[in-house]
């Protein structure tokens, strides 16, 4: 509903409820209303409109302009007037609507008059003169309950208990919001059948004060009764559903807890249908019936990717989201690409020991053969992940890996334990295609073990953050930054896959995979002990399924523990195409290196994969 129509409707409602005769108006008009033709006449009068008045706030002026029905540029609806009489009549009608806008914003003493003036050249100008007058404030806002003349438990009698601050304007929206809060308060304090009978607003124009009274039927107060769970044909453990539920039998009925239960069940991803209803009351308690329809628990995924530097690759995975009936997830994945071949298994058990905690376990076996190194590795780990707040998540775990890296330093075997500590912050609105919000990750991992049977220790620290802004519909600006350092004596003390690398489709586009960093005598990348990256994208969704992207990336991996700013960052820029699908955008990017190194970097790079670059 347009804002102007909404405010006009609210104003009419409050005007009908207000009982002060001091501003009663005569609304009858003499004569018969002139019929309008729905064909735009060629002889329409040329006119402009203007709102005048002292100290009209910008927001109020905008509301008044939106409420005007008489518009010279209107292309639909009632056609423009063809006679001066029509122009004046409709200007007066608009003046009444603008006055209702003033009343909706608590300017009950305000007035709006319309005058039609002829300018040079024969065109007309309609001037609406608005006089605001003093704003009406809320003097009292009380609730009266039928059947509870003396009040009762959970029955709020004054809006100050709902958060109303003193000396607040008696706007239509504020009155309606407080009404909704009063009813919602009853829903959450044992009165599921509460309803508003009527609302009375009396305005004292001489004092510019308003008294509002809500007349409410609260009904009987209830407790939560027994909980019945039905999940025909499903495998989810009924006790797990009860653990997720915010409903506690024997406590005061609260619709907020019912909604929280629905939300908790929805977030598991296990159910395609969730319905919670109340049964017949028994001894002042309402039994709660939870009816569930379970989704298919297994999913098979296939994906492909290709780039000029990494070549082609295919991935496949099998996932079971309810392995033992308590939302345990097992994912088995296989990746076959020109550079890397890997098999992984990941397990997640939510509600581990406490509701906000999950147990995670993973296993990987991989072979990697890139320009930087050849590596065979086996890695496993287990961690606890805890939801710290609505936006913060933390995890702590332990990993163990056996790896053998062959590069310009020779062939080195590693046996390493790691203790990763991770903090994540996420307010983004979508996993694969965010348009608003912020994502950040900070991870620190101390490693200890052996390198070629010699004791070694080092610590890896990394921080990544990305933010997304959408100033206008369809246009999103995305920014990303990455910084990392490894406190190690030599780069060779760190396995190839654990070192920092830059360059490629998810890093600095325009440069080959892992090529934005230190190189050996053969111009092969060696990886480094620090990294610095910055990315910026402008994403324009030109059509429903097609989008265009312009981007610039900069960054580099460095040999030393701290980036050497004497070495300039390598920058790349390019354009991309996005095809939007239900599972995320398919992206194709073409980038050129702006700091092209002779005999090292190609003239351009192409990347094709699923999901945005960051």
């Amino acid at each position: 509903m347009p804002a102007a129509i909404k405010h006009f409707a609210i104003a009419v409602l409050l005007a009908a409820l207000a009982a002060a005769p001091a501003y009663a108006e005569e609304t009858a008009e003499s004569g018969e209303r002139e019929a309008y033709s729905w064909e735009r006449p060629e002889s329409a009068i040329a006119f402009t409109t203007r709102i005048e008045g002292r100290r009209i706030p910008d927001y109020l002026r905008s509301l008044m302009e939106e409420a005007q029905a008489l518009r010279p540029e209107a292309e639909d609806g009632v056609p423009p007037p063809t006679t001066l009489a029509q122009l004046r009549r409709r200007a007066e009608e608009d003046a009444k609507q603008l006055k209702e806008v003033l009343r909706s914003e608590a300017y009950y003493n305000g007035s709006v008059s319309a005058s039609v003036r002829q300018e040079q050249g024969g065109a007309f100008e309609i001037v609406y003169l608005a006089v605001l007058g003093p704003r009406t404030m809320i003097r009292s806002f009380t609730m009266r309950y039928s059947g509870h003349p003396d009040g009762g438990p959970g029955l709020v009698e004054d809006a100050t208990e709902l958060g109303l601050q003193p000396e607040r304007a008696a706007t239509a929206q504020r009155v309606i919001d407080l009404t909704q809060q009063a009813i919602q308060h009853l829903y959450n304090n044992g009165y599921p059948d509460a309803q508003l009978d009527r609302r009375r607003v009396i305005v004292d124009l001489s004092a510019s004060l308003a008294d509002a009274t809500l007349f409410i039927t609260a009904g009987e107060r209830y407790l939560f009764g027994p909980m019945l769970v039905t999940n025909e044909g499903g495998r989810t453990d009924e006790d797990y559903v009860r653990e997720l539920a915010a409903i506690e039998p024997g406590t005061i009925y609260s619709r907020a807890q019912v909604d929280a239960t629905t939300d908790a069940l929805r977030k598991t991803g296990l159910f395609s249908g969730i319905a919670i209803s109340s049964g017949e009351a028994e001894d002042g308690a309402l039994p709660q019936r939870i009816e569930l329809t379970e989704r298919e628990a297994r999913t098979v995924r296939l994906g492909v990717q290709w780039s000029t530097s990494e070549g082609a690759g295919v991935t496949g995975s099998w996932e079971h989201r309810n392995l033992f009936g308590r939302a345990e997830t097992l994912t088995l994945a296989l990746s076959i690409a020109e550079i890397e071949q890997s098999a992984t298994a990941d397990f997640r058990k939510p509600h581990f020991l406490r509701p906000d905690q999950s147990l995670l376990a993973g296993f990987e076996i991989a072979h990697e053969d890139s320009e930087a190194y050849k590596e065979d590795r086996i890695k496993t780990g287990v961690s606890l992940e805890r939801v710290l707040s609505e936006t913060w998540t933390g995890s702590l775990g332990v990993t163990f890996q056996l790896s053998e890296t062959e590069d310009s330093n020779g062939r080195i075997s590693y046996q390493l334990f790691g203790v990763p500590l991770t903090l994540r912050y996420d307010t983004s609105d979508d996993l694969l295609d965010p348009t608003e919000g912020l994502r950040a990750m900070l991870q620190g991992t101390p490693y200890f073990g052996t390198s070629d049977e010699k004791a070694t220790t080092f610590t890896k620290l990394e921080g990544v953050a990305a933010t997304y802004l959408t100033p206008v519909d369809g246009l999103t600006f995305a920014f990303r930054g990455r910084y990392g350092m490894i406190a190690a004596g030599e780069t060779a003390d760190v396995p190839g896959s654990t070192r920092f690398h830059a360059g490629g489709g998810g890093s600095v586009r325009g440069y080959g995979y892992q090529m934005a960093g230190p190189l050996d005598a053969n111009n092969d990348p060696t990886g480094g002990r620090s990294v610095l990256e910055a990315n910026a994208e402008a994403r324009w969704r030109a059509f429903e399924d097609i989008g265009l992207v312009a981007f610039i990336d900069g960054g580099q991996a460095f040999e030393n523990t701290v980036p050497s700013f004497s070495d300039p960052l390598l920058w790349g820029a390019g354009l991309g195409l996005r095809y939007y699908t239900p599972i995320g955008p398919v992206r194709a990017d073409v980038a050129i290196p702006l700091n092209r190194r002779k005999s090292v970097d190609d003239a351009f790079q192409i990347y094709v994969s699923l999901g945005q670059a960051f």
Side-chain angles (χ1 to χ4, degrees):
M1 179 182 292
I5 297 176
K6 176 180 177 182
H7 282 276
F8 177 60
I10 293 172
V12 171
L13 174 63
L14 288 184
L17 293 170
Y23 59 80
E25 296 181 2
E26 181 66 40
T27 58
E29 293 186 24
S30 60
E32 205 173 83
R33 186 179 180 88
E34 183 173 348
Y36 293 124
S37 168
W38 291 96
E39 295 182 1
R40 190 176 184 89
E42 295 181 1
S43 58
I45 292 179
F47 67 93
T48 58
T49 65
R50 178 162 51 91
I51 297 174
E52 282 190 353
R54 297 183 58 192
R55 298 180 180 177
I56 301 177
D58 290 342
Y59 87 94
L60 183 57
R61 184 181 295 275
S62 296
L63 292 177
M64 296 173 71
E65 290 172 349
E66 291 172 3
Q68 289 178 229
L70 186 58
R71 298 171 182 266
E73 74 281 2
E75 297 181 357
D76 53 14
V78 178
T82 58
T83 67
L84 183 58
Q86 281 185 353
L87 185 65
R88 284 174 173 160
R89 180 201 300 273
R90 291 173 59 184
E92 291 296 331
E93 291 173 355
D94 263 7
K96 293 177 182 179
Q97 291 194 26
L98 300 188
K99 184 176 180 179
E100 294 302 335
V101 172
L102 295 186
R103 293 160 71 94
S104 74
E105 291 300 311
Y107 294 99
Y108 283 92
N109 281 300
S111 64
V112 180
S113 60
S115 61
V116 180
R117 307 170 185 176
Q118 189 168 18
E119 300 176 311
Q120 290 183 355
F124 292 90
E125 181 184 43
I126 302 172
V127 179
Y128 299 100
L129 179 60
V131 179
L132 302 186
R135 206 171 193 193
T136 299
M137 300 296 173
I138 296 176
R139 177 166 52 193
S140 66
F141 198 116
T142 57
M143 278 65 77
R144 298 289 181 265
Y145 302 96
S146 60
H148 301 273
D150 299 323
L155 299 180
V156 174
E157 297 184 0
D158 194 284
T160 56
E161 298 179 61
L162 301 173
L164 174 63
Q165 299 296 317
E167 298 182 2
R168 289 297 184 268
T171 63
Q173 191 60 55
R174 178 167 284 122
V175 171
I176 288 177
D177 288 346
L178 288 169
T179 301
Q180 293 174 341
Q181 289 179 40
I183 299 300
Q184 196 68 37
H185 175 84
L186 294 174
Y187 289 159
N188 295 333
N189 283 272
Y191 298 94
D193 301 322
Q195 60 181 13
L196 177 69
D197 294 332
R198 61 190 177 95
R199 175 173 44 207
R200 184 179 70 195
V201 180
I202 298 177
V203 178
D204 183 348
L205 293 179
S206 62
S208 296
L209 295 173
D211 298 297
T213 306
L214 305 182
F215 297 89
I216 299 171
T217 297
E220 186 177 347
R221 199 179 198 211
Y222 294 103
L223 305 175
F224 278 122
M227 191 188 314
L228 174 64
V229 178
T230 60
N231 182 22
E232 187 174 351
R235 62 179 290 146
T236 303
D237 191 334
E238 183 176 319
D239 288 340
Y240 178 64
V241 175
R242 294 178 182 275
E243 289 177 15
L244 291 173
I247 297 170
E248 298 183 23
T251 61
I252 300 298
Y253 177 93
S254 169
R255 187 171 294 183
Q257 289 176 276
V258 174
D259 293 341
T261 299
T262 301
D263 190 52
L265 292 171
R266 179 185 57 79
K267 286 181 177 179
T268 65
L270 300 180
F271 308 105
S272 60
I274 303 169
I276 303 179
S277 58
S278 297
E280 292 292 329
E282 301 175 4
D283 298 326
L286 290 174
Q288 299 298 297
R289 183 180 297 109
I290 302 178
E291 298 179 80
L292 303 172
T293 303
E294 205 162 301
R295 292 174 54 197
E296 173 58 49
R298 299 169 183 83
T299 299
V300 175
R301 297 183 177 91
L302 293 174
V304 296
Q305 62 183 26
W306 176 83
S307 73
T308 49
S309 62
E310 297 176 62
V314 296
T315 59
S317 67
W318 175 89
E319 181 181 81
H320 197 305
R321 290 179 298 276
N322 202 10
L323 193 62
F324 303 123
R326 298 177 71 87
E328 301 91 349
T329 300
L330 175 64
T331 304
L332 304 178
L334 182 66
S335 176
I336 300 175
E338 293 183 28
I339 289 179
E340 182 178 356
Q341 305 83 47
S342 65
T344 60
D346 294 287
F347 176 77
R348 171 186 287 267
K349 179 176 177 57
H351 276 239
F352 181 72
L353 302 181
R354 50 185 291 166
D356 59 353
Q357 185 168 271
S358 298
L359 173 68
L360 283 66
F363 174 82
E364 177 193 44
I365 181 170
H367 169 75
E368 192 172 353
D369 187 353
S370 68
E371 296 291 335
Y373 56 83
K374 292 181 180 180
E375 183 173 279
D376 294 301
R377 64 180 177 272
I378 297 176
K379 186 176 181 179
T380 187
V382 63
S383 63
L384 291 177
E385 181 183 83
R386 183 175 297 180
V387 177
L388 305 176
S389 70
E390 188 175 341
T391 54
W392 285 95
T393 304
S395 66
L396 177 64
V398 60
T399 64
F400 176 71
Q401 70 181 70
L402 297 172
S403 60
E404 186 174 81
T405 298
E406 182 180 353
D407 59 10
S408 57
N409 297 305
R411 183 186 298 269
I412 303 176
S413 298
Y414 302 89
Q415 300 84 38
L416 297 172
F417 286 94
V419 184
L421 172 63
T422 306
L423 284 175
R424 298 182 187 275
Y425 177 84
D426 193 348
T427 60
S428 61
D429 58 351
D430 190 89
L431 179 62
L432 291 176
D433 187 24
T435 59
E436 298 286 350
L438 172 68
R439 291 176 181 169
M441 185 275 293
L442 179 64
Q443 184 176 67
T445 307
Y447 289 92
F448 55 94
T450 62
S451 170
D452 268 355
E453 300 182 354
K454 296 179 181 179
T456 183
T457 61
F458 60 90
T459 300
K460 182 177 182 179
L461 300 174
E462 183 175 9
V464 182
T467 187
Y468 310 91
L469 307 171
T470 302
V472 296
D473 190 35
L475 178 62
T476 298
F477 294 100
F479 305 93
R480 171 185 174 270
R482 178 191 181 207
Y483 175 77
M485 60 175 291
I486 299 175
E490 299 291 341
T491 302
D493 294 337
V494 183
S497 58
T498 308
R499 300 170 194 166
F500 286 118
H501 300 272
S507 177
V508 183
R509 286 164 288 186
Y511 298 87
Y513 177 64
Q514 299 180 336
M515 291 295 294
L519 307 176
D520 62 15
N522 297 318
N523 286 333
D524 291 329
T526 62
R529 286 175 286 163
S530 60
V531 68
L532 185 63
E533 292 178 355
N535 312 80
E537 285 192 348
R539 303 169 181 172
W540 177 43
R541 192 158 184 165
F543 305 99
E544 183 176 354
D545 297 330
I546 301 295
L548 302 175
V549 173
F551 59 85
I552 183 167
D553 299 337
Q556 188 169 202
F558 300 88
E559 172 68 27
N560 297 323
T561 300
V562 178
S564 173
F565 293 100
S566 61
D567 297 329
L569 297 182
L570 300 177
W571 291 91
L575 299 174
L577 183 68
R578 302 291 184 267
Y579 176 71
Y580 296 96
T581 74
I583 59 172
V586 176
R587 70 180 177 104
D589 291 336
V590 179
I592 61 172
L594 300 182
N595 305 102
R596 187 179 178 187
R597 296 163 294 184
K598 186 177 181 180
S599 302
V600 175
D601 301 315
D602 294 328
F604 64 90
Q605 296 284 342
I606 300 175
Y607 312 92
V608 179
S609 64
L610 178 65
Q612 298 285 10
F614 57 90

